[in-house]
């Protein structure tokens, strides 16, 4: 239809829509206009009108047309491909080429824009349509190169189309005018951003699997690399601005990342790229230098991993090639260490840094630490230590007293700490000297914190090295200073003390009295410990790990002493009466109760811990009784009880009965989720013990009966997600450890009904617990004693099967976020495998509810076939793609999603009573 004729038709339709007296005519006009909006013709007038308009306007119009092209199948466009249409229009109307070029540029970008709510199948067709037209596009763009003012725009379009990574032979691209234009533009006085983008995309293209990879694209690589290497002159040019330097550095980083396997061979050409990347790493601007960090890591992985050398055959050849390559790159990594180490040094004005700047500086230190560990992997930890020790010694000349320059020494120590895992634990040359130096450094807070960090990092060396343990008194004194100096140094010192007691625990058994003295001095001293209550837990953990290594009787005595030191402040609170205990801030109680959790967790003497919890039970019970309303205190207390149960197991005797009786009664009044969580731990330990069956059955029936009365609607699930989470975690534990107690019980049907309500709760952990519980029910055959309970399970599930399936389908198609797809899909798969053809019928009924305007018949059939295959034993992974596709189709826009959910009605549960 000609442009003028088309405009007249549109005007007539609009006039009929708003002014015609006949409703039928108005409806016909409305349908025509809606169909017209889905055609290229509806938008091309705008493209032409604004062909010389502001670039942002042209871009937005181009995006709109591209989005339309993604949505509308080619057959609905008269089988005219978008590229062919563009070619015809550009030939017919050369004056409108700028606008059409804008559209050509955004087409590939919009193909992968998932904000466009296109069907997955249509998106694939559109991508296929574009890739099939790549050569036509290149010819269009080549013709446009003749218009000099469009050169930048043409190159941007080239970069965009290269992102499709369609397999054009490297030999063709290597001599293509567009590629040669982009490469030649790199050497112009004004660096072309579009040229940089094209060359960057070319580099990525040559390394992509879809293009055939590096070996196939070698002709193009041999053209690209020399041109990029010629940019070294500009990289060294001090007159270049930061943006130009950044753009050039990006190309070198792209080459390193894309060609790292080629570079790893260590050829002379490869080493030229490596040296260029070292120059980039040496640049003062961190954001530019850090572009190379990924390359150094990838190269290290290839150089050190055995799989990189499999093609060399026998072990001798593999080892010879590995050693050759490590030797080739040794100097490069040594240079890298010297180039990046300075970046970890605290700035002179660090005290004036804002919170965000300080955070950024610490992130920089962590990034440099990663680079140093990469270097240590190649050079070897001991050799790396030698390099860093020289820097440490050099820095000491600046570090004479507390007012002196401590920054270089701190930086050198930080680097030594970063490579601790790579240094031999029996190193005898450098580490003894490092440890001796530590005590001679001033106690400046940041420096002292890093010294404490080093001590903790080398705790394994202190245990294993010949002279290591002899250094312990010296380093313990440093840690004690750290605990008294600042909050940060106290936290690091406490953690270091924990590492030492963990790694040197066997040797420290003989020094228990001294360790207790350190603990008392730090925690119970005259306000000397500057760390938080959380930091003091590291000290408790440290002592507990040493106690674990003691023989039973000494361990029992040491445990009693440790518990006594923790319970004393609690006892003092108790002595003030129940009114005071009730009014205390939770933190005043949990600071001590949390220490019990650490003791019971890390003292691995079941009998001794059982005796301890038995002695402590009267105090624990009083806290349960008087503070059951306080969630924080209850969580802390239940955590301590959980670890006592986990460590003591069946040694707990009558204490476990008293504990469970307590929480069973309190749960009815206070609904604390942690009571359910503690019960889960008990079920895990005692669920399979026949002697506990009667009591555990009463416990779970009481807890589930009360919980199902609380969670009667999705609103209640949303308001009480922690209860929902812990309830169904407990239910899953019952299915796995004692299904014979839960499934025949009167509460089981109510628990299933409750889970159906909660499937679509938005809270992630609660939703996962519900779905896991249902999966465990469907997978009952896999659990102990599960098979004999199948008939009881089926009598509850089958009457509800259609509803469960419908709600799961609603969850797949939008009632739950995309991130839960895997969990929901597994629950559906477990249901299908448990109930076979019957479940497939439920699924078919549910899918048939979805309107055909949302899901086509072919999409329904594909999904149901995938379910049927999975039910027949096909690989479960084969179900992932059909599930994701159905989910995407049903979520592609709000209108579709609402229509699907309106049809599946996940909140309407047609529960059939069990007869």
């Amino acid at each position: 239809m000609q442009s003028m004729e088309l405009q007249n038709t549109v005007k007539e339709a609009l006039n009929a829509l708003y002014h015609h007296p006949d409703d039928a005519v108005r409806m016909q006009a409305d349908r025509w206009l809606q169909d017209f909006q889905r055609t290229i013709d509806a938008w091309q007038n705008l493209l032409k009108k604004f062909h010389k308009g502001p670039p942002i306007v042209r871009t937005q119009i181009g995006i709109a047309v591209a989005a339309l092209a993604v949505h509308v199948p080619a057959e609905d466009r008269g089988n005219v491909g978008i590229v062919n249409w563009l070619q015809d229009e550009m030939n017919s109307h050369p004056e409108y080429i700028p606008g059409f070029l804008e559209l050509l540029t955004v087409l590939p970008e919009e193909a992968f824009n998932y904000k466009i709510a296109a069907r997955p199948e249509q998106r694939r067709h559109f991508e296929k349509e574009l890739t099939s037209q790549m050569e036509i596009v290149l010819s269009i763009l080549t013709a446009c190169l003749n218009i000099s003012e469009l050169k930048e725009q043409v190159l941007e379009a080239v970069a965009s189309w290269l992102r499709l990574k369609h397999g054009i032979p490297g030999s063709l691209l290597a001599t293509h005018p567009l590629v040669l234009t982009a490469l030649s533009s790199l050497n112009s006085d004004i660096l072309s951003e579009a040229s940089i983008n094209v060359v960057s995309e070319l580099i990525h293209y040559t390394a992509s699997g879809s293009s055939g990879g590096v070996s196939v694209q070698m002709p193009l690589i041999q053209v690209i690399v020399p041109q990029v290497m010629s940019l070294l002159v500009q990289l060294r040019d001090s007159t270049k601005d930061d943006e130009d330097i950044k753009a050039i550095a990006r190309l070198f980083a792209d080459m390193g990342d894309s060609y790292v396997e080629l570079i790893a061979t260590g050829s002379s050409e490869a080493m030229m790229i490596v040296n260029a990347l070292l120059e980039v790493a040496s640049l003062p601007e961190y954001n530019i230098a850090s572009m190379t960090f990924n390359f150094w890591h990838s190269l290290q992985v290839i150089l050190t991993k055995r799989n990189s050398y499999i093609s060399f055959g026998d072990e001798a050849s593999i080892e010879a090639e590995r050693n050759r390559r490590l030797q080739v790159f040794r100097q490069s990594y040594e240079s890298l260490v010297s180039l990046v180490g300075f970046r970890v040094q605290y700035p002179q004005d660090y005290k004036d840094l804002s919170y965000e700047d300080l955070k950024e500086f610490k992130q920089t230190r962590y990034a440099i630490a990663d680079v140093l560990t990469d270097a240590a992997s190649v050079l070897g930890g001991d050799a790396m230590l030698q390099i860093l020790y020289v820097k440490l010694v050099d820095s000491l000349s600046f570090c004479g007293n507390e007012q002196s320059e401590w920054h270089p020494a701190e930086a050198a120590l930080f680097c030594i700490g970063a490579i601790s895992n790579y240094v031999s634990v029996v190193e005898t040359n450098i580490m003894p000297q490092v440890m001796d130096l530590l005590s001679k450094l001033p106690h400046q807070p940041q420096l002292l914190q890093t010294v404490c960090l080093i001590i903790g990092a080398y705790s394994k060396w202190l245990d294993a090295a010949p002279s290591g343990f002899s250094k312990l008194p010296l380093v313990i004194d440093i840690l004690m200073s750290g605990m008294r100096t600042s909050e940060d140094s106290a936290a690091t010192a406490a953690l270091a003390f924990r590492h030492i007691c963990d790694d040197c625990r066997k040797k420290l058994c003989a020094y228990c009295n001294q360790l207790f003295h350190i603990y008392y001095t730090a925690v119970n001293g005259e306000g000397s410990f500057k760390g938080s209550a959380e930091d003091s837990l590291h000290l408790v953990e440290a002592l507990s790990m040493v106690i674990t290594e003691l023989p039973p009787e000494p361990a029992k005595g040491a445990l009693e002493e440790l518990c006594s030191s923790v319970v004393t402040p609690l006892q003092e609170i108790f002595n003030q009466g129940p009114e005071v205990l009730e009014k205390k801030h939770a933190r005043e109680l949990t600071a001590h109760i949390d220490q019990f959790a650490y003791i019971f967790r890390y003292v691995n003497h079941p009998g001794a811990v059982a005796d301890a919890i038995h002695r402590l039970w009267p105090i624990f019970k009083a806290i349960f009784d008087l503070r059951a309303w306080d969630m924080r205190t209850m969580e802390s207390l239940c955590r301590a009880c959980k670890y006592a149960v986990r460590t003591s197991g069946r040694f707990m005797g009558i204490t476990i009965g008293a504990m469970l009786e307590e929480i069973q009664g309190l749960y009815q009044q206070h609904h604390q989720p942690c009571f359910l969580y503690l019960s889960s731990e008990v079920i895990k330990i005692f669920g399979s013990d026949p002697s506990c069956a009667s009591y555990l059955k009463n416990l779970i029936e009481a807890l589930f009966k009360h919980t199902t009365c609380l969670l009667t609607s999705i609103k209640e699930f949303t308001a009480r997600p922690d209860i929902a989470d812990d309830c169904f975690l407990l239910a899953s534990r019952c299915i796995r450890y004692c299904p014979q107690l839960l499934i025949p019980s009167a509460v089981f049907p109510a628990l299933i009904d409750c889970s159906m309500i909660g499937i679509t709760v938005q809270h992630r952990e609660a939703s996962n617990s519900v779905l896991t519980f249902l999966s465990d029910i469907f997978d009952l055959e896999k659990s102990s004693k599960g098979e004999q309970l199948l008939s009881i399970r089926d009598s509850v599930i089958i009457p509800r099967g259609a509803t469960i399936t419908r709600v799961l389908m609603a969850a797949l198609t939008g009632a739950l976020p995309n991130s839960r797809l895997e969990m929901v899909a597994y629950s559906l798969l477990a249901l299908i495998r448990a109930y076979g053809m019957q479940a497939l019928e439920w699924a078919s009924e549910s899918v048939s509810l979805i309107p055909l305007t949302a899901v086509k018949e072919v999409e329904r059939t594909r999904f149901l076939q995938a379910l049927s295959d999975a039910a027949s034993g096909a690989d479960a992974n084969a179900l992932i793609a059909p599930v994701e596709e159905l989910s995407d189709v049903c979520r592609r826009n709000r209108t579709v999603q609402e229509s699907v959910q309106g049809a599946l009605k996940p909140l309407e549960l047609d529960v059939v009573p069990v007869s």
Side-chain angles (χ1 to χ4, degrees):
M1 191 179 290
Q2 294 301 311
S3 180
M4 188 58 67
E5 184 184 347
L6 184 62
Q7 289 181 36
N8 290 333
T9 306
V10 172
K11 288 176 183 175
E12 288 172 11
L14 288 168
N15 188 59
L17 177 66
Y18 292 111
H19 303 296
H20 202 283
D22 189 336
D23 287 348
V25 173
R26 286 204 303 274
M27 286 181 64
Q28 187 179 2
D30 183 44
R31 278 196 300 271
W32 188 90
L33 285 166
Q34 286 192 36
D35 290 341
F36 177 65
Q37 281 182 292
R38 292 165 55 83
T39 67
I40 301 293
D41 288 331
W43 292 87
Q44 63 161 309
N45 297 322
L46 283 174
L47 275 173
K48 292 173 179 176
K49 183 177 179 180
F50 289 97
H51 74 281
K52 288 187 177 177
I56 190 168
V57 174
R58 295 205 310 260
T59 299
Q60 290 305 312
I61 295 171
I63 288 171
V65 178
L68 180 67
V70 175
H71 267 295
V72 181
E75 55 268 24
D76 291 350
R77 298 187 242 124
N79 286 318
V80 177
I82 185 72
V83 173
N84 288 326
W85 175 84
L86 267 172
Q87 186 178 35
D88 291 343
E89 289 293 321
M90 291 168 93
N91 287 336
S92 305
H93 304 284
E95 70 274 20
Y96 299 137
I97 284 177
F100 289 129
L101 262 182
E102 201 71 52
L103 172 57
L104 198 60
T105 302
V106 299
L107 275 174
E109 297 167 4
E110 294 307 294
F112 301 105
N113 179 3
Y114 285 85
K115 290 181 181 177
I116 298 176
R119 293 175 182 275
E121 187 176 20
Q122 173 55 26
R123 190 183 297 281
R124 287 194 295 270
H125 283 316
F126 184 69
E127 184 188 345
K128 188 176 179 181
E129 178 187 339
L130 293 188
T131 54
S132 69
Q133 302 293 304
M134 177 73 88
E135 291 188 23
I136 297 175
V137 170
L138 293 181
S139 69
I140 293 172
L141 294 173
T142 303
C144 291
L145 270 183
N146 296 323
I147 309 171
S148 58
E149 62 267 26
L150 294 181
K151 179 181 168 183
E152 282 287 293
Q153 199 177 349
V154 168
L155 291 176
E156 285 295 358
V158 173
S160 180
W161 279 82
L162 283 170
R163 291 184 192 111
L164 287 175
K165 296 182 171 58
H166 178 61
I168 300 174
S171 55
L172 174 63
L173 284 176
T175 57
H176 200 283
L178 291 167
V179 172
L180 298 178
T181 299
L183 290 170
S184 63
S185 298
L186 292 179
N187 295 309
S188 60
D189 292 337
I190 301 174
L191 196 62
S192 160
E193 183 181 349
S195 297
I196 292 287
N197 291 338
V198 170
V199 177
S200 176
E201 292 302 332
L202 282 169
I203 292 169
H204 295 152
Y205 176 83
T206 56
S208 70
S210 58
S211 74
V214 167
S215 57
V216 173
Q217 297 292 337
M218 192 55 74
L220 179 55
I221 293 172
Q222 289 170 339
V223 172
I224 293 171
V225 173
Q227 289 291 336
V228 176
M229 291 301 296
S230 70
L231 293 174
L232 269 176
V233 177
Q234 296 190 53
L235 191 73
R236 298 163 182 157
D237 186 349
S238 59
T239 64
K240 285 283 183 185
D241 65 31
D242 285 348
E243 287 306 309
D244 283 354
I245 296 297
K246 188 174 183 180
I248 294 167
R250 171 185 155 201
L251 292 183
F252 282 110
D254 285 343
M255 281 205 311
D257 292 337
S258 299
Y259 305 146
V260 63
E261 291 189 3
L262 278 178
I263 293 169
T265 61
S267 66
S268 56
E269 294 88 352
M271 297 314 293
M272 291 170 62
I273 299 177
V274 171
N275 291 333
L277 287 164
L278 282 171
E279 290 201 41
V280 175
S282 71
L283 294 170
E285 181 60 50
Y286 173 75
N287 290 334
I288 298 177
S290 61
M291 289 179 180
T292 67
F293 290 179
N294 187 64
F295 163 75
W296 299 114
H297 173 71
S298 300
L299 179 60
Q300 171 268 123
V301 170
I302 293 172
L303 293 175
T304 56
K305 295 293 181 277
R306 186 180 180 279
N307 288 349
S308 308
Y309 303 95
I310 295 295
S311 62
F312 287 87
D314 60 89
E315 286 299 322
S317 301
I318 286 174
E319 193 60 24
E321 178 62 16
R322 184 175 182 274
N323 290 336
R324 182 192 74 78
R325 291 190 184 186
L326 289 174
Q327 191 59 41
V328 166
F329 287 97
R330 173 168 292 276
Q331 187 176 350
S332 300
Y333 275 94
E334 287 175 352
S335 299
L336 180 65
V337 172
S338 65
L339 290 173
V340 301
F342 78 95
R343 297 185 189 276
V344 305
Q345 187 168 311
Y346 270 92
Q348 293 294 333
D349 62 345
Y350 78 95
K351 288 184 178 178
D352 300 325
L353 292 178
S354 66
Y355 172 79
E356 286 301 321
D357 287 343
L358 190 59
K359 182 179 175 182
E360 187 176 329
F361 170 66
K362 288 182 177 179
Q363 287 171 342
T364 298
R365 278 166 63 106
Y366 297 145
I368 299 299
D370 288 340
V371 175
L372 294 173
T373 60
D374 287 330
S377 296
V378 174
L379 301 174
D382 293 4
M384 183 83 166
L385 180 64
Q386 180 88 40
I387 295 169
L388 296 175
Y389 179 68
V390 171
K391 293 182 179 295
L392 174 62
V393 172
D394 289 346
S395 70
L396 293 180
S397 60
F398 301 102
C399 202
N401 54 63
E402 291 199 20
Q403 283 71 45
S404 67
E405 181 57 54
W406 55 269
H407 305 72
E410 191 280 335
L413 285 171
F414 178 86
C415 294
I416 290 172
I419 63 162
S420 59
N421 290 338
Y422 297 83
V423 174
S424 167
V425 293
V426 292
E427 200 278 337
T428 57
N429 184 25
I430 303 297
M431 278 312 300
Q433 299 178 67
V434 171
M435 289 295 173
D436 288 338
L437 282 175
L438 297 182
S439 61
K440 299 170 185 174
L441 296 172
H443 285 183
Q444 192 280 336
Q446 275 70 32
L447 179 56
L448 181 57
Q449 182 184 356
T450 303
V451 167
C452 294
L453 187 73
I454 282 271
I455 292 169
Y458 284 90
S459 56
K460 286 183 171 60
W461 180 87
L462 289 167
D463 177 57
S467 61
F469 199 72
S470 66
K471 307 291 183 186
L472 211 55
L474 179 144
V475 299
I476 291 292
D477 283 346
I478 296 172
L479 294 183
M480 295 300 290
S481 296
M483 292 180 197
R484 294 190 295 265
T485 300
S486 70
E487 290 182 13
D488 288 340
S489 66
T492 307
L495 184 58
F497 185 69
R498 178 240 178 246
H499 285 312
I500 287 173
C501 288
D502 184 9
D503 291 320
C504 306
R505 58 173 74 185
K506 292 186 185 303
K507 292 178 179 176
L508 287 172
C509 284
Y511 300 89
C512 253
N513 289 338
Q514 291 92 322
L515 295 178
F516 269 104
H517 175 70
I518 292 167
Y519 170 73
Y520 292 138
T521 303
V523 178
N524 300 337
E526 298 294 322
S528 60
F529 183 62
K530 291 284 174 57
S532 64
E534 286 76 14
D535 297 326
S536 68
L537 293 175
H538 291 309
L539 303 178
V540 175
E541 183 182 346
L543 275 178
S544 300
M545 289 188 289
V546 175
I547 292 171
T548 290
E549 296 302 318
L550 295 172
E553 280 306 309
K556 186 175 181 180
L559 178 58
E560 286 180 15
E561 182 178 351
L562 185 54
C563 288
S564 176
S565 72
V566 177
V567 82
T568 300
L570 279 177
Q571 193 67 59
E572 290 172 358
I573 295 172
F574 271 75
N575 294 341
Q576 298 173 46
E579 296 84 4
V580 174
L581 177 62
E582 281 195 89
K583 292 176 182 176
K584 283 286 183 184
H585 191 279
R587 195 77 200 107
E588 295 180 66
L589 300 172
T590 60
H592 307 295
I593 299 170
D594 286 346
Q595 293 189 35
F596 282 122
Y598 271 64
I599 293 168
F600 298 152
R601 182 178 183 181
Y602 292 105
V603 173
N604 191 14
H605 282 280
V609 170
D611 289 345
I613 190 70
H614 181 70
R615 286 193 308 275
L616 292 165
W617 178 245
I619 290 180
F620 280 24
K621 184 179 187 305
I623 299 173
F624 270 124
D625 290 339
L626 292 171
R627 301 283 298 207
W629 51 269
D630 173 12
M631 179 177 284
R632 285 186 64 188
T633 301
M634 288 301 99
E635 285 178 346
S636 176
L637 191 56
C638 284
R639 193 180 305 115
C641 291
K642 175 187 77 173
Y643 286 119
V645 170
R646 189 177 288 181
T647 300
S648 301
R650 291 178 171 80
F651 284 89
M652 281 196 74
I654 60 171
T655 312
I656 189 67
M659 184 185 296
L660 295 179
E661 185 177 350
E662 183 75 13
I663 62 173
Q664 182 178 331
L666 291 174
Y667 182 68
Q668 318 287 329
Q669 306 167 52
H670 299 286
H671 314 145
Q672 295 288 7
C674 54
F675 295 162
L676 296 169
Y677 183 77
L678 177 55
S679 301
S680 298
E681 196 65 33
V682 172
I683 291 293
K684 186 177 177 182
I685 304 297
F686 296 97
S688 58
D689 187 341
S691 66
C692 301
S694 175
Y695 189 81
L696 292 179
K697 185 174 187 294
N698 292 336
L699 170 73
I700 62 177
E701 285 190 2
L703 294 177
F704 287 139
K705 183 177 180 181
H706 193 73
T707 305
T708 54
C709 291
L710 290 176
L711 302 175
T712 56
S713 67
I714 195 67
K715 184 178 179 182
E716 290 296 334
F717 268 87
T718 303
R720 305 171 186 266
D722 293 339
I723 286 183
D725 180 18
D726 289 324
C727 167
F728 287 99
L729 175 67
L730 171 60
S732 278
R733 286 269 171 90
C734 291
I735 296 299
R736 293 171 193 177
Y737 294 98
C738 53
Q740 74 281 2
L741 301 184
L742 175 60
I743 290 177
S745 71
V747 78
F748 181 62
L751 192 60
I752 294 294
D753 291 341
C754 186
S755 71
M756 291 162 63
I757 298 168
I759 288 173
T760 56
V761 66
Q762 298 301 298
H763 188 275
R764 184 181 62 194
E765 284 79 13
S767 172
N768 286 350
S769 290
V770 171
L771 291 167
T772 300
F773 165 68
L774 285 171
S775 300
D776 288 341
I777 292 293
F778 304 145
D779 288 336
L780 184 61
E781 287 178 274
K782 297 178 183 177
S783 73
S784 61
K785 304 180 183 176
E787 285 190 44
Q788 57 195 286
L789 301 167
L790 292 180
S791 61
I792 304 173
R793 176 202 69 177
D794 293 350
S795 69
V796 177
I797 296 296
I798 290 174
R800 297 162 171 80
T803 304
I804 292 173
T805 308
R806 175 168 54 80
V807 179
L808 287 173
M809 285 302 304
L812 277 180
T813 55
L816 285 179
N818 250 328
S819 57
R820 315 272 169 80
L821 216 54
E822 189 175 339
M823 287 289 296
V824 180
Y826 182 79
S827 298
L828 183 62
L829 176 63
L831 176 69
I832 296 292
R833 287 188 168 168
Y835 292 99
M837 288 303 300
Q838 193 170 18
L840 287 172
E841 288 176 14
W842 296 334
S844 182
E845 289 169 13
S846 297
V847 171
S848 70
L849 296 173
I850 302 174
L852 284 170
T853 53
V855 177
K856 294 178 181 177
E857 190 60 47
V858 66
E859 292 164 333
R860 291 179 176 182
T861 304
R862 190 183 300 130
F863 173 74
L864 291 171
Q865 184 59 52
L867 280 185
S868 177
D869 293 344
S872 303
D875 184 4
N877 291 327
L879 185 60
I880 294 173
V883 163
E884 288 179 346
E885 184 150 320
L886 183 73
S887 176
D888 287 347
V889 166
C890 293
R891 297 170 193 258
R892 65 184 185 272
N893 61 48
R894 183 177 294 178
T895 302
V896 170
Q897 189 164 335
E898 287 175 355
S899 73
V900 172
Q901 295 304 308
L904 291 172
K905 298 182 173 60
L907 301 183
E908 293 185 16
L909 306 177
D910 306 318
V911 177
V912 179
V914 180
S915 57

